[in-house]
Each structure stands twice: as C-alpha cells, then as structure tokens.
Amino acid sequence: MSEFHVLVTLAGIHFIALMSPGPDFALVVQNSTRYGRQTGIAIAFGLSIGILIHSILSLTGISYLVHSHPGLFFVLQLMGGSYLLYLGISGFKGIIQHIRFPSANQKSGADFTISSKKHAFTRGLTTNLLNPKALVFFISLMSTLVPASMSLQGKLTALFILWSLALFWFCSLAWALSTQRVQRALTRLSIYIDGVCCLLFSIIGFTIVYQAISH
C-alpha cells in the first residue's frame, strides 16, 4: 500500500472515530450548548492537542510501552476513569444547584463547569489525554496502518492529518451548536443536554475504573 493510500485510510478511520459518541464529543456538545462558541472552540483546541500528543506517543512507541506495562496502564485507567467520573458528578451537582437557585445563577452568570478559555482548553486536553480508550485506539491505528518504513515526511503528514481533522471536527461541532438559531432552540433543553452528557461521563468513567479493578 502506498503512503498516499495509507494516509487516506488513516484519515477515514480517524474521522469516523471522531464522530462516534464519547467523552470528547460529549464535552464539546455540553459546553458549546451552555457556554457558547468561544468555550467550545477552546475545548476543541485542547482535544486536538491531546490527540496530537497521543498520536506522537503511539508513533514513537511510548504508548505501547505504557499499554504493555500492567502497572502503568492500571494507573492510567484509574486516573482517566476517575477524572470522567469527576466530570459527571460535578456536572450533576451543578445541575442540581441550577435547579435549586435558577435566579442566582442567571443573575451572577455563574459558570459551574468552565470558568475561562484557559480552563476550557485544559479541560479538553485533560479529558483526551487521560482517556485510556484513546491510548489503545491510537496504538492500534498507528501499528496497523503506519509501517515503520514510512518516510519521515509521511509520518509528519499523518500527525498533521490526525490533529487537523480533530480540530476541524470539534470546532465545526462547537460552531454549529453555538449559532444564534441553534442556541435559541436549545436554550430550554440545555439542562437536559447537560444531564445526558454528565450521565455519559459517569457511565464511561465507572466502566473504565471497573475494568481496571476487575482485571
């Protein structure tokens, strides 16, 4: 298979994976819906940098070493699962606070999930980096599709494709969900969207922690 076909296949598989529901997708949907475009785009940048780091670590073999070392991978699973549980539980606490004191939240413009663009970027980066499923996915993707004999230019192009597709998709999602028309339509549903996203974080986080402990 030529390098061109490798890169096209890599891009196709990666883009399909990006569109599938998961912590990254939920994070952008939840916060773009509630806090607007700038927050969503800041999260998208964080997620794309996390994906770039995962890609580099997988390409250099570092991720494989972590995955093949039971102790290190166990720690990563616990950290990642616990972090997603934290996102879910803290989000539910914020929803309860919003329900109990709606006027106070509107008056002060309280933001119980994201406090700044820097916080949004960090949230996106941390959510992606601590996801052990992302580590396993990129190990599989790189080891299966990117041969060791691929040229340096080809490998750099692969890294650029993985990063740019992630940035494009998550920014597009944040942009689409934060247009005035969509915002007006979602205003009354925002708290339910928050609830679904927090439930997703909690389920995935619990599943990761459970799998780590039970193995």
Side-chain angles (χ1 to χ4, degrees):
M1 186 182 293
S2 67
E3 286 193 1
F4 175 77
H5 289 97
V6 168
L7 295 173
V8 170
T9 304
L10 187 74
I13 294 174
H14 179 52
F15 197 64
I16 292 172
L18 287 171
M19 291 188 290
S20 62
D24 295 353
F25 185 92
L27 194 69
V28 175
V29 170
Q30 179 189 34
N31 292 287
S32 297
T33 302
R34 178 167 286 279
Y35 306 114
R37 180 170 299 162
Q38 292 186 350
T39 296
I41 290 177
I43 288 174
F45 270 99
L47 291 171
S48 67
I49 295 299
I51 286 172
L52 178 62
I53 293 173
H54 267 303
S55 303
I56 293 172
L57 294 178
S58 297
L59 199 60
T60 56
I62 296 175
S63 290
Y64 177 77
L65 293 177
V66 173
H67 184 242
S68 61
H69 193 290
L72 288 176
F73 191 62
F74 174 75
V75 170
L76 178 63
Q77 284 180 301
L78 281 184
M79 290 176 60
S82 299
Y83 184 71
L84 291 176
L85 275 174
Y86 160 75
L87 290 182
I89 294 171
S90 63
F92 279 126
K93 288 181 179 178
I95 291 171
I96 293 171
Q97 179 185 352
H98 181 77
I99 292 173
R100 291 180 63 188
F101 310 105
S103 59
N105 284 333
Q106 289 172 3
K107 197 173 186 179
S108 63
D111 186 336
F112 54 75
T113 302
I114 299 292
S115 59
S116 66
K117 293 179 188 176
K118 183 179 180 181
H119 187 190
F121 173 85
T122 304
R123 179 65 59 84
L125 178 64
T126 306
T127 300
N128 186 268
L129 283 182
L130 290 183
N131 186 357
K133 294 183 180 298
L135 180 139
V136 174
F137 170 76
F138 283 104
I139 290 174
S140 302
L141 190 67
M142 292 301 195
S143 61
T144 303
L145 290 179
V146 180
S149 59
M150 178 179 274
S151 66
L152 177 60
Q153 181 180 355
K155 291 178 179 178
L156 291 176
T157 303
L159 292 176
F160 176 77
I161 287 173
L162 294 173
W163 169 77
S164 60
L165 278 179
L167 183 62
F168 168 76
W169 167 247
F170 289 126
C171 281
S172 298
L173 188 61
W175 186 279
L177 291 171
S178 58
T179 60
Q180 290 184 0
R181 193 174 194 181
V182 174
Q183 284 284 295
R184 285 196 297 269
L186 295 178
T187 296
R188 291 174 294 179
L189 301 175
S190 61
I191 196 165
Y192 302 105
I193 294 172
D194 271 351
V196 171
C197 291
C198 289
L199 182 62
L200 180 62
F201 291 138
S202 300
I203 291 174
I204 295 175
F206 176 80
T207 302
I208 291 173
V209 172
Y210 177 78
Q211 289 175 344
I213 296 174
S214 61
H215 281 77

